[in-house]
Amino acid sequence: MADTNAKLTVNGKEYELPIIEGTLGRPVIDIAALQESGFWSYDPGFKVTAPVESKITYIDGGKGELLHRGYPIDQLANNAEYLEVAYALIHGDLPNSEQKADFFKKIREHTGVHDQLRKFFEGFRRDAHPMAIMVGVVGALSAFYHEHLDVSNEDHREITAIRLIAKMPTLAAMSYKYSRGEPFMYPRNDFNYAENFLYMMFATPADVDYEPNDVITRAMDKIFTLHADHEQNASTSTVRLAGSTGANPYACIAAGIAALWGPSHGGANEAVLEMLDEIGTVENVPEFMEKVKSREVKLMGFGHRVYKNFDPRAQVMKETCDEVLGALGINDPKLELAMALEKIALEDPFFVERNLYPNVDFYSGIILKAIGIPTSMFTVIFSLARTSGWISHWLEMHSTPFKIGRPRQLYTGETRRDFVKVEDRK
Ligand code: CMC
């Protein structure tokens, strides 16, 4: 709803730009009228641009607030299971008991993958990074579900969401098993979502009597919930952009996985552990901090584009981290080093002045290491969890009219207009 207009004067002509209020957060200025002005807007990194309207997630970076479908993330993480949160992201609200039972059943029914998909794994070298495998095999799902997928059909879209959320733990665990040279474990549908994932990761055919540990399962489920969605971040925007062309949704999610992989985004949890390896011991922390301050390196797991006060996911994650370390009685020097780093960074003026706080990936990396998940799987787990968010945004986009995402540019290249023959080129 346009409350009032902003005015923009370009080359002496005034344009009225409607101001639109959402239910929460900053209003936006609708700049569509720029189309007639002969100018484009310029906003590298999309720092002030909202390319979509969405009802799924709200973040107030200043307050450190994250809401999914209106519910604060700490309440969801502490009281709901990941699959309930996934349901809310997709359907608009938390499920009642009947809806919950039905959704969980549908997810259980789709955890298996086509046997032919195993062949895709075999095409990778054993030392391939599991994220490389995930980009490949999730993209490959499009080959299994293309012919019978009409993205304009609501039922087809819904079953796609179910399939993706159900199969991601299976594929993620397969990518790990493949790297270990161990046989894949079939999903166990008597386990809950997190238990089943841990079972497929850690059980072997020789030891199928895997006993889930409550503290670990709950921590895993919270990690899933805390990574489920984060509004228009780089990977979600990638999924929306790919989806805006009408592309196959499995291919769109593979594009999201690719975008997530980078160390500025989901790859940060892995980068945190690599950084701890590089620092080595607590005594080396001051020297490392000097490198950070001279901008030679970044302190991975710190800072966020949106949160400039604290990351509310990190608070829940820190509590879980303490719980897991306590329950497992872990005394790993790497974890002590992480805690020392956290303490110094929280007090150092360089970080305080720049509002750099630990983000969700700082603590999730520590928890995952404590429960025996190898570093290379950290971002895979993030992608598994974020799939519910990605697909919710894809569904939201497809349930309303949308346009192909097609940004403009500021061209600063050459202006040669005459072709130069090869013999005349200098
Ligand atoms: N270590 C050291 N300095 C930093 C860091 C860091 N991690 N992050 C930002 N800064 C500095 C930066 O150098 C700049 O300083 P100055 O103004 O003096 O030049 C200032 O803080 C502002 O940084 P920015 O680059 O403008 O911030 P941004 O919003 O563009 O970047 C970020 C956000 C997440 C990419 C960045 O903080 C970063 O690279 N952090 C480390 C990687 C990381 O942990 N990423 C995970 C994010 S949470 C998971 C997710 O949601 O994807």
Side-chain angles (χ1 to χ4, degrees):
M1 190 186 72
D3 286 345
T4 175
N5 288 341
K7 288 184 176 41
L8 176 74
T9 306
V10 188
N11 287 346
K13 182 160 182 217
E14 192 175 87
Y15 294 88
E16 298 258 334
L17 307 177
I19 292 178
I20 307 173
E21 296 268 359
T23 39
L24 286 171
R26 276 195 198 196
V28 300
I29 300 176
D30 179 345
I31 57 169
L34 272 190
Q35 180 81 16
E36 297 143 37
S37 71
F39 291 85
W40 304 129
S41 64
Y42 180 60
D43 178 25
F46 300 113
K47 283 193 152 190
V48 293
T49 297
V52 297
E53 179 189 321
S54 180
K55 294 181 169 56
I56 301 174
T57 290
Y58 172 74
I59 301 175
D60 184 327
K63 274 205 243 161
E65 185 173 54
L66 167 62
L67 310 176
H68 293 320
R69 296 296 187 181
Y71 299 107
I73 187 63
D74 56 324
Q75 292 185 26
L76 291 171
N78 291 323
N79 299 297
E81 287 175 63
Y82 168 73
L83 283 186
E84 289 177 85
V85 176
Y87 180 97
L89 293 174
I90 292 172
H91 293 284
D93 201 352
L94 290 165
N96 61 29
S97 48
E98 209 176 298
Q99 291 162 332
K100 178 177 166 180
D102 180 58
F103 185 70
F104 281 37
K105 178 170 169 286
K106 282 186 185 150
I107 296 286
R108 273 198 306 276
E109 283 169 0
H110 287 277
T111 49
V113 293
H114 195 292
D115 214 44
Q116 196 67 16
L117 202 69
R118 291 165 173 262
K119 297 263 193 293
F120 279 86
F121 284 86
E122 283 159 23
F124 288 96
R125 285 168 43 146
R126 291 278 175 187
D127 62 357
H129 193 287
M131 279 299 276
I133 300 181
M134 290 302 282
V135 172
V137 295
V138 175
L141 287 177
S142 57
F144 290 78
Y145 306 106
H146 190 70
E147 296 304 319
H148 305 291
L149 202 155
D150 170 5
V151 294
S152 66
N153 180 316
E154 200 181 330
D155 294 340
H156 288 199
R157 294 200 299 266
E158 196 195 324
I159 188 67
T160 300
I162 298 277
R163 281 198 174 114
L164 272 159
I165 294 170
K167 291 181 200 315
M168 282 299 281
T170 313
L171 295 173
M174 285 170 88
S175 72
Y176 172 61
K177 287 296 193 190
Y178 186 76
S179 71
R180 307 254 315 164
E182 287 179 11
F184 301 136
M185 297 301 291
Y186 286 111
R188 281 258 314 260
N189 292 343
D190 53 327
F191 282 145
N192 69 30
Y193 194 78
E195 286 169 347
N196 185 38
F197 171 63
L198 291 165
Y199 163 79
M200 290 187 288
M201 286 280 295
F202 295 124
T204 62
D207 183 16
V208 282
D209 293 331
Y210 174 80
E211 277 296 323
N213 170 311
D214 276 354
V215 176
I216 294 179
T217 305
R218 188 74 201 120
M220 197 73 245
D221 196 74
K222 271 192 195 176
I223 288 179
F224 292 160
T225 297
L226 294 171
H227 287 89
D229 190 42
H230 215 224
E231 57 89 331
Q232 313 306 324
N233 55 83
S235 57
T236 303
S237 300
T238 301
V239 171
R240 280 193 181 254
L241 201 55
S244 77
T245 68
N248 180 290
Y250 299 95
C252 296
I253 299 298
I257 297 174
L260 184 78
W261 193 356
S264 295
H265 192 6
N269 49 17
E270 186 175 342
V272 169
L273 268 286
E274 282 164 5
M275 174 186 77
L276 295 178
D277 276 339
E278 191 195 323
I279 300 173
T281 59
V282 177
E283 297 77 66
N284 299 334
V285 169
E287 193 190 328
F288 184 79
M289 287 302 193
E290 285 315 308
K291 282 199 211 165
V292 173
K293 289 179 192 173
S294 62
R295 296 190 177 64
E296 261 177 80
V297 288
K298 274 191 172 172
L299 188 57
M300 299 314 288
F302 274 68
H304 200 275
R305 166 61 62 82
V306 178
Y307 297 119
K308 299 299 179 195
N309 187 346
F310 65 91
D311 180 342
R313 304 168 301 171
Q315 285 193 328
V316 182
M317 204 57 103
K318 183 170 170 39
E319 284 162 27
T320 312
C321 188
D322 294 342
E323 226 172 274
V324 169
L325 299 187
L328 300 183
I330 290 207
N331 200 5
D332 181 336
K334 195 76 68 57
L335 303 176
E336 267 175 49
L337 171 60
M339 294 308 151
L341 203 62
E342 178 206 28
K343 187 168 181 309
I344 295 168
L346 286 176
E347 289 163 2
D348 191 304
F350 178 91
F351 297 94
V352 176
E353 281 160 19
R354 288 171 179 76
N355 296 318
L356 299 171
Y357 297 90
N359 58 51
V360 67
D361 286 331
F362 186 72
Y363 300 110
S364 67
I366 296 170
I367 301 176
L368 291 171
K369 173 162 172 38
I371 61 184
I373 306 261
T375 317
S376 61
M377 283 297 292
F378 290 5
T379 315
V380 171
I381 289 173
F382 193 157
S383 72
L384 180 174
R386 185 55 59 86
T387 295
S388 58
W390 288 330
I391 203 65
S392 307
H393 284 269
W394 180 84
L395 288 167
E396 182 177 69
M397 185 174 74
H398 275 280
S399 64
T400 47
F402 63 92
K403 289 200 180 300
I404 183 171
R406 180 30 174 116
R408 301 290 180 162
Q409 65 166 11
L410 174 66
Y411 177 70
T412 53
E414 297 296 338
T415 55
R416 304 178 186 110
R417 289 219 156 81
D418 294 317
F419 182 77
V420 184
K421 287 191 194 144
V422 67
E423 55 273 24
D424 297 333
R425 286 176 213 157
K426 293 195 183 121

